[in-house]
Amino acid sequence: EVQLVESGGGLVQAGGSLRLSCAASGIAFEPYSIGWFRQAPGKEREGISCIRSSDGATYYRDSVKGRFTISSDNARNTVYLEMNSLKPEDTAVYYCAADQGYSSSCGWVVTTHYEMDSWGKGTLVTVSS
């Protein structure tokens, strides 16, 4: 069973930075992809970034491109989301999620409302103005 645990959320002022972590376990099938999603109050959940295990390719939704960076530490089975130049509209619950056994989902994650197979419980990020 895939387990994903997010951490690193909190309160930050506009213009500040946070780094989220997603500790993954139980992923048994290569290739796999891990994505970061967020859900703001009253809005639909959307994928904002994704990383593919097969080649380390990274994907970003336009709204976070240039400000957020996804990376992975395979030795620690952890995926990170470095968030810089945060804005009040980045306030949301942030989730990490995973698909395993195929590698084609990252593109859908950042351009559609595609939902991955396995989910963490989320971590809250609040950006004050």
Side-chain angles (χ1 to χ4, degrees):
E1 179 186 0
V2 177
Q3 291 192 327
L4 303 164
V5 180
E6 305 94 337
S7 61
L11 174 64
V12 63
Q13 287 190 330
S17 299
L18 278 177
R19 187 177 78 159
L20 305 183
S21 299
C22 172
S25 61
I27 293 179
F29 301 105
E30 293 268 2
Y32 62 87
S33 299
I34 293 183
W36 282 99
F37 294 72
R38 68 184 180 187
Q39 186 166 22
K43 294 191 175 181
E44 193 172 1
R45 186 162 61 189
E46 64 174 6
I48 56 171
S49 187
C50 188
I51 189 165
R52 201 165 60 184
S53 71
S54 57
D55 58 3
T58 58
Y59 296 74
Y60 300 93
R61 192 170 287 266
D62 286 347
S63 56
V64 305
K65 204 172 287 184
R67 299 188 299 125
F68 291 10
T69 303
I70 191 170
S71 62
S72 65
D73 183 338
N74 293 334
R76 296 177 182 270
N77 294 322
T78 300
V79 172
Y80 303 99
L81 185 69
E82 184 76 34
M83 306 186 296
N84 299 314
S85 303
L86 283 162
K87 307 174 182 179
E89 51 264 42
D90 294 318
T91 294
V93 178
Y94 284 70
Y95 301 87
C96 67
D99 279 345
Q100 58 177 333
Y102 49 95
S103 63
S104 58
S105 55
C106 273
W108 301 334
V109 166
V110 298
T111 58
T112 70
H113 288 283
Y114 176 82
E115 296 269 288
M116 293 181 129
D117 293 333
S118 303
W119 292 85
K121 294 185 178 181
T123 185
L124 176 63
V125 172
T126 303
V127 184
S128 64
S129 57

